Amino acid sequence: MFSYVARRLFQLCITLMLVSIVVFLLGRLSGDPLSLILPPEATEQDFAAAREQLGLDQPLWKQYSIFAARALRGDLGDSITARRPVFPLVMERLPSSLALAGATILLTLLFAVPLGVISAVRKGSYIDFGARLVALLGQSVPSFWLGLILLQFFAVQWRLLPFGDSNGIGYYVLPSITLAAFIAAGIMRLVRSSMLDAMDSDYVKFARSKGVPEWKVIWLHALRNALLPVMTLAGLYLGILVTGAVVIEEVFIWPGMGRLAYQSVVTRDYPVVQGVVLVTAAVVLAANFIVDLLYGYADPRIRAQ
Amino acid sequence: MNSRGLVVRNLTAHLFTKRGCARAVDGISFAIPPRKTLGLVGESGSGKSMACMALMRLLPKPAGQIVDGEVWLDGVDLLKLSEREMQEIRGRRIAMILQDPTSSLNPVLKIGYQVGEPVRQHENVRGGPLRTRVVELMRQVQIAAPEDRINAYPHQLSGGMRQRVVGAAALACKPQLLIADEPTTSLDVTVQMHYLSLLQELQQQQQFGMLFITHDIHLVPSICDAVAVMYAGRIVEQGEVDAVFKRPAHPYTRALLRAAPRLDEAMESLESIPGELPSLTELGPGCRFAARCSKASQVCSDAYPPDTGLEHDHRVNCWLYGQPA
Ligand SMILES: Nc1ncnc2c1ncn2[C@@H]1O[C@H](COP(=O)(O)OP(=O)(O)OP(=O)(O)O)[C@@H](O)[C@H]1O
Ligand SMILES: [Mg+2]
């Protein structure tokens, strides 16, 4: 188990480093940063001086090592539009983004797993049919459209739910449903199909032949196995959660990192974009690491390796 | 129906599939007195596993359905019990070892839990006493260091060990009947022999009756008291081992006995009977073996042969012995 954790941790560090290199290079490739910083009437001398001052005359690898060392200290440069350090700007948006992600995951688990199980156990029933239809819709409707529709009816027309902030449970309902729709649908379908496999297995037959009651056969014997592939998919969906959040936060005026990312792309505030990408990557990698740990816990065959 | 042990009468279980209704178990009758072993033999696909599943009332849902028959265990018809009552029977009165014991263990649950599950379920034993019981059960099936192994997972055990663990779980509540569905098919020969002798030893100690299923008829004399030969959903001949082996009556039984006695390649050995099993969805009125039988005459494909008694309890369904009506 220890070596499994160590290996995953090592992978996490390497990936984070690669992400930071990409972020750094994108920052350099997207044009001379000086043209954004210096006024249009700046002379050649001004450019040269600024270049030396910012270390832009150094070789690329040296520039990166300076960038990385600063980033590790939490120094991601200054925002061009807000004229503030990027790191605190990003970090103060992190909690509400995390909270929204958490609500979405909770919603997904609460609905997708039980529904997938019931759908599999009652294969061919109306519940199964209904659940699969909803899942199909959830996966085919674009989430920004779903978000706009929900917003229009529940928040604007019927005024049942608030939006435009994040302080209060009511604010979470619409954006988390919107974000969860696609993810929960995918998870539900996978739970269903892997439950069908598990229910057909020999260990389920044997458990029944021992006199184990059916609810225990389903929720312990079969589900424990059926959740293994689901956990892998859930890890992959973390990325979708992040990209989905960019649009959804903008739709619901949610004060999170997604909205910050969107706005800084629009205003070409590259330091902020870099900061958001780096912090997001770190969070997603950490979340993936947790999923890996859970997977190792759930599957003894992995743990042993 | 007051006799002790298991009495099966006209058990009929069909599989309703897209391709039609497969008559996988088509009116079979047999009895297993207490402590006796009945061997059920027949080539692959003849419905042996389906017969076991029907006995346990665990046919695949929703395709498999019992459409007729009686299954008496000590004077109680299991087919008339509620699902809840049947669950009390499974694992406590009748236990089962599946055809592929290596996949019968749940890969994510500890061995100890899986062995103790019937005890936990039927006798409501938990904690320390359950642990002691599990260790004892595992020692009984000759698992070394059972105190450590209870915390192991199936993948950490060898195939032979896993199978003995399955045996321990099946026998945990001292059932009176064990259904062993080809318990050794997936193992290599030396491990097979070891397992079979262990099974017999346990039967000596615990005195359970056994339905021993195999497609290798040559395993039968060393293990069984009686034998039933199954072909395409029906039992075509049954009787005491001595009688059937000394004077096999049905041409199918004779062909099985003529086939080379090879443990590991029993499947191949059946090639000595030309032709193959008829489709269970398209069975005619006559004897199901007629198409492959060298002694077949017109009557064989026209009508099903009657159940004919030879000496003692030796019975056969074949027109060579019964008179056309
Ligand atoms: N889940 C299922 N659904 C539909 N048909 C099935 C199913 N399982 C088995 N069958 C069919 O039922 C028939 C009897 O199969 P069964 O498994 O009882 O044979 P068997 O005698 O146990 O053979 P083997 O020696 O290979 O185990 C076969 O024709 C098989 O194709
Ligand atoms: Mg079988």
Side-chain angles (χ1 to χ4, degrees):
Chain A
M1 188 69 192
F2 175 76
S3 74
Y4 174 73
V5 175
R7 210 167 54 230
R8 287 294 139 139
L9 213 51
F10 180 71
Q11 280 175 3
L12 187 152
C13 293
I14 296 289
T15 317
L16 200 55
M17 202 174 93
L18 289 176
V19 170
S20 72
I21 291 177
V22 170
V23 165
F24 166 77
L25 287 180
L26 282 181
R28 291 294 175 275
L29 290 178
S30 59
D32 192 344
L34 289 181
S35 60
L36 286 172
I37 297 170
L38 295 177
E41 63 276 12
T43 62
E44 269 304 305
Q45 280 92 350
D46 292 337
F47 268 87
R51 195 169 280 132
E52 198 181 321
Q53 193 201 337
L54 292 172
L56 291 175
D57 53 343
Q58 306 275 342
L60 215 52
W61 65 268
K62 202 158 186 183
Q63 289 185 37
Y64 170 72
S65 68
I66 293 169
F67 167 83
R70 281 193 184 151
L72 281 177
R73 274 183 277 121
D75 177 3
L76 297 171
D78 289 340
S79 158
I80 295 168
T81 50
R83 311 221 164 263
R84 282 181 54 196
V86 166
F87 190 64
L89 196 67
V90 175
M91 290 313 274
E92 67 197 28
R93 298 292 194 103
L94 184 61
S96 56
S97 274
L98 283 183
L100 181 58
T104 306
I105 291 169
L106 196 71
L107 206 62
T108 300
L109 294 181
L110 232 51
F111 283 92
V113 174
L115 217 56
V117 170
I118 293 167
S119 211
V121 172
R122 297 269 162 83
K123 186 184 166 198
S125 69
Y126 286 112
I127 298 181
D128 179 31
F129 183 75
R132 282 162 69 198
L133 193 71
V134 171
L136 195 66
L137 284 177
Q139 289 216 295
S140 41
V141 167
S143 56
F144 73 88
W145 185 81
L146 178 64
L148 287 172
I149 294 291
L150 290 179
L151 192 70
Q152 172 65 26
F153 285 102
F154 289 91
V156 178
Q157 249 175 30
W158 299 333
R159 297 185 178 276
L160 293 173
L161 290 158
F163 76 103
D165 203 342
S166 70
N167 47 17
I169 292 199
Y171 288 97
Y172 283 82
V173 177
L174 294 180
S176 59
I177 288 178
T178 309
L179 263 176
F182 180 85
I183 296 172
I187 298 268
M188 189 235 122
R189 290 167 69 151
L190 187 62
V191 169
R192 180 180 181 275
S193 72
S194 59
M195 265 308 272
L196 283 176
D197 286 347
M199 292 298 285
D200 203 32
S201 69
D202 279 355
Y203 55 79
V204 157
K205 289 191 191 111
F206 186 56
R208 285 184 181 137
S209 84
K210 290 193 287 191
V212 176
E214 193 63 13
W215 64 266
K216 217 169 182 177
V217 168
I218 295 167
W219 296 96
L220 175 73
H221 282 269
L223 186 59
R224 275 289 308 265
N225 283 279
L227 280 183
L228 295 177
V230 174
M231 289 175 79
T232 310
L233 184 70
L236 292 173
Y237 274 175
L238 284 174
I240 294 185
L241 193 58
V242 169
T243 45
V246 174
V247 181
I248 298 310
E249 288 188 3
E250 187 59 27
V251 168
F252 287 96
I253 323 178
W254 187 264
M257 291 205 304
R259 188 161 145 78
L260 181 64
Y262 179 82
Q263 287 169 338
S264 46
V265 167
V266 170
T267 57
R268 305 208 337 154
D269 194 343
Y270 287 112
V272 177
V273 175
Q274 276 187 350
V276 171
V277 171
L278 265 183
V279 171
T280 308
V283 170
V284 169
L285 286 173
N288 253 315
F289 176 66
I290 293 170
V291 171
D292 280 344
L293 288 191
L294 287 176
Y295 194 91
Y297 174 76
D299 189 351
R301 286 161 295 189
I302 299 279
R303 218 181 307 166
Q305 280 171 14
Chain B
M1 214 10 152
N2 284 318
S3 60
R4 308 249 310 138
L6 181 82
V7 179
V8 175
R9 279 193 178 167
N10 192 34
L11 181 62
T12 310
H14 293 171
L15 292 163
F16 296 91
T17 62
K18 289 199 184 82
R19 269 168 282 117
C21 164
R23 288 147 73 183
V25 181
D26 204 12
I28 62 174
S29 302
F30 59 83
I32 306 177
R35 295 179 292 284
K36 296 291 185 193
T37 301
L38 173 72
L40 185 60
V41 297
E43 68 195 282
S44 192
S46 51
K48 307 181 297 291
S49 296
M50 284 299 139
C52 300
M53 285 315 208
L55 286 181
M56 294 291 269
R57 286 183 40 189
L58 288 176
L59 286 169
K61 275 186 276 185
Q65 271 165 37
I66 297 175
V67 293
D68 197 10
E70 297 158 19
V71 177
W72 298 90
L73 185 70
D74 284 356
V76 176
D77 187 355
L78 300 185
L79 301 188
K80 296 221 166 67
L81 297 183
S82 70
E83 175 51 33
R84 165 119 211 107
E85 288 166 327
M86 190 60 209
Q87 189 186 298
E88 292 292 312
I89 302 277
R90 289 184 205 122
R92 196 221 289 267
R93 308 271 302 277
I94 308 183
M96 186 166 176
I97 298 175
L98 297 181
Q99 187 156 351
D100 182 2
T102 49
S103 61
S104 320
L105 291 173
N106 193 320
V108 301
L109 299 177
K110 287 180 178 168
I111 296 293
Y113 177 81
Q114 300 193 56
V115 170
E117 219 172 9
V119 182
R120 165 191 285 268
Q121 187 60 39
H122 297 301
E123 300 173 24
N124 206 17
V125 180
R126 302 281 148 95
L130 178 59
R131 207 188 111 95
T132 318
R133 182 83 174 269
V134 169
V135 168
E136 183 48 39
L137 284 165
M138 285 174 59
R139 188 168 288 129
Q140 238 173 34
V141 295
Q142 300 168 7
I143 302 277
E147 294 87 353
D148 303 330
R149 290 267 160 67
I150 54 175
N151 289 318
Y153 289 92
H155 72 274
Q156 293 164 312
L157 306 185
S158 71
M161 260 201 273
R162 264 183 263 183
Q163 193 174 31
R164 278 179 278 144
V165 166
V166 169
L171 295 173
C173 290
K174 305 242 181 323
Q176 65 193 89
L177 181 72
L178 178 70
I179 300 175
D181 187 357
E182 306 195 33
T184 57
T185 316
S186 57
L187 295 182
D188 54 58
V189 183
T190 48
V191 188
Q192 270 191 35
M193 295 329 278
H194 179 227
Y195 193 74
L196 291 178
S197 60
L198 176 67
L199 212 54
Q200 282 178 295
E201 200 177 294
L202 290 168
Q203 191 179 19
Q204 285 285 313
Q205 285 167 16
Q206 300 189 12
Q207 302 280 304
F208 50 83
M210 183 151 73
L211 177 60
F212 182 84
I213 289 156
T214 176
H215 53 228
D216 183 6
I217 197 169
H218 300 283
L219 276 178
V220 167
S222 59
I223 294 165
C224 307
D225 303 295
V227 60
V229 179
M230 195 162 175
Y231 187 81
R234 292 221 164 162
I235 291 179
V236 295
E237 177 168 10
Q238 62 180 316
E240 297 292 314
V241 164
D242 275 350
V244 174
F245 275 71
K246 285 214 188 85
R247 288 173 296 280
H250 200 285
Y252 180 60
T253 315
R254 289 188 198 160
L256 282 181
L257 283 168
R258 266 199 312 276
R262 287 173 65 183
L263 260 181
D264 48 337
E265 285 163 36
M267 309 301 304
E268 271 175 50
S269 66
L270 282 172
E271 284 169 15
S272 64
I273 312 173
E276 53 185 42
L277 214 59
S279 160
L280 295 177
T281 49
E282 301 150 15
L283 294 168
C287 173
R288 283 147 200 205
F289 189 58
R292 295 166 77 184
C293 184
S294 55
K295 299 211 165 67
S297 55
Q298 185 55 42
V299 65
C300 294
S301 42
D302 288 345
Y304 198 80
D307 192 27
T308 312
L310 307 173
E311 79 278 89
H312 303 304
D313 285 336
H314 190 175
R315 313 191 70 78
V316 68
N317 291 74
C318 178
W319 282 117
L320 292 177
Y321 306 90
Q323 293 306 310

